[in-house]
Amino acid sequence: MKNYNVGIIGATGMVGQRFALLLADHPWFKVTCLAASPRSAGKSYREAVGDRWAMTDAMPENLKDMMVYDAVADIDTIVSKVDFVFCAVDMKKDEIKAFEELYAKHECPVVSNNSAHRFTDDVPMVIPELNPEHLEVIEAQRKRLGTKRGFVAVKSNCSLQSYVPALHPLDKAFGVEKCLVCTYQAISGAGKTFERWPEMIDNVIPFIGGEEEKSEKEPLKIWGKVEDGKIKLADSPKFTAQCLRVPVSDGHMAAVFVTFKNKPTKEEILNVWKSFSGVPQELELPHAPKQFLNYFAEDNMPQTKLNRNLEGGMAVSVGRLREDSQYDYKFVCLSHNTLRGAAGGAVLLAELLAAKGYMD
């Protein structure tokens, strides 16, 4: 595989820090540029982050003294140093949309962790094992933007990464009719640690702004179809969601209740989960988990602290499958929200894009 020079835009934030760690020893991608807001520009990465380093692993040595650029003012310099960028900026949604398209129009592909472009109909929102065919829409996006190389591709909301992968093969096999999901989301999803958010200790907050709407709508884009250069949302299944912030550092858990068009047996569901894999596994992409969906038969599993780091935090854990009195079945799911759900999912998407030739 060809090697690529990459940039991290929004490098000083929590997701940017996670990108830095994931890319430190990547076999295909080399970080050659870091960028953030004007207040960080001109400083070394170590100086720009200061005491806000939130990862348990140390900052990569090769990045500590790398100078941080102004993500807007220094765009010409940045794009001259990279083949593509990862984006995890903290701006208003309209500003992010314009910002990411500006990089694309500079012929620099953007792999975004942000939500701004998730419902732009010619921007693919991809979980690589689930809907890699949506990358086909990039050709239409390039025509709209007037670019040859530049485009924007995004990953979905972090909480979806726990339960939608488990539902996806079941929908293909048996047809999902409706789904109720309750998510229990870690504080790192808000970019926080317990040191910086002490009011979350011994507390649960039953509201996360915009999260329930994303949880109900984004699966319909993932399960949509590319038609006439746009992604048309799926009409079903029907989702309803409730999202809670819980006192956990990392790891989003979901309680899922599902009704099928053709109700399977428990054994049929387990067999579908065990056998499911996708294009990342076929291509053996560097961050693809060998076993994507992992079922735990014990009544008290999966557990956030024990299982969030499964396969480098890129696998999904499932458990407690049983019949329900109101729906057909219920079960729980767990994924690492800043690995599979954020930076790791974006890196896997970039690996898929590179393997498919979109970065050339």
Side-chain angles (χ1 to χ4, degrees), residues 41-226:
K43 300 178 182 178
S44 69
Y45 189 43
R46 173 169 31 196
E47 292 170 334
V49 173
D51 62 359
R52 294 179 294 113
W53 184 256
M55 304 291 104
T56 54
D57 293 334
M59 181 181 289
E61 286 294 329
N62 64 323
L63 299 185
K64 285 183 177 179
D65 296 321
M66 187 176 289
M67 192 185 82
V68 178
Y69 288 94
D70 183 320
V72 177
D74 297 326
I75 185 171
D76 290 327
T77 301
I78 294 167
V79 299
S80 72
K81 292 177 173 288
V82 301
D83 295 305
F84 68 91
V85 296
F86 292 99
C87 186
V89 296
D90 183 11
M91 299 177 177
K92 295 178 181 178
K93 189 167 290 190
D94 288 345
E95 293 174 350
I96 292 173
K97 290 178 77 170
F99 173 82
E100 292 180 342
E101 288 196 356
L102 182 63
Y103 269 80
K105 289 176 180 177
H106 276 68
E107 299 295 357
C108 181
V110 178
V111 180
S112 178
N113 185 73
N114 301 109
S115 65
H117 270 297
R118 287 181 189 159
F119 284 96
T120 303
D121 56 17
D122 61 5
V123 171
M125 180 177 71
V126 174
I127 298 176
E129 287 88 351
L130 274 53
N131 60 330
E133 70 279 2
H134 283 194
L135 298 183
E136 298 168 11
V137 82
I138 288 173
E139 181 181 353
Q141 184 194 149
R142 282 172 168 163
K143 289 180 180 177
R144 174 176 65 84
L145 296 175
T147 62
K148 294 181 179 179
R149 285 190 71 246
F151 64 86
V152 179
V154 302
K155 52 156 288 299
S156 71
N157 188 42
C158 54
S159 64
L160 271 66
Q161 309 279 338
S162 58
Y163 61 91
V164 173
L167 288 170
H168 180 79
L170 302 182
D171 182 57
K172 297 293 183 184
F174 314 112
V176 173
E177 190 173 85
K178 62 178 181 177
C179 179
L180 181 153
V181 60
C182 296
T183 62
Y184 305 88
Q185 301 184 206
I187 65 172
S188 57
K192 300 290 184 67
T193 62
F194 285 116
E195 290 75 18
R196 288 157 54 190
W197 201 5
E199 58 266 40
M200 271 307 304
I201 298 173
D202 193 31
N203 194 21
V204 172
I205 299 176
F207 174 73
I208 305 172
E211 203 76 3
E212 288 159 4
E213 295 84 354
K214 295 173 188 176
S215 299
E216 293 173 356
K217 188 177 177 184
E218 287 189 22
L220 301 180
K221 183 169 183 178
I222 292 168
W223 289 338
K225 302 290 184 184
V226 177

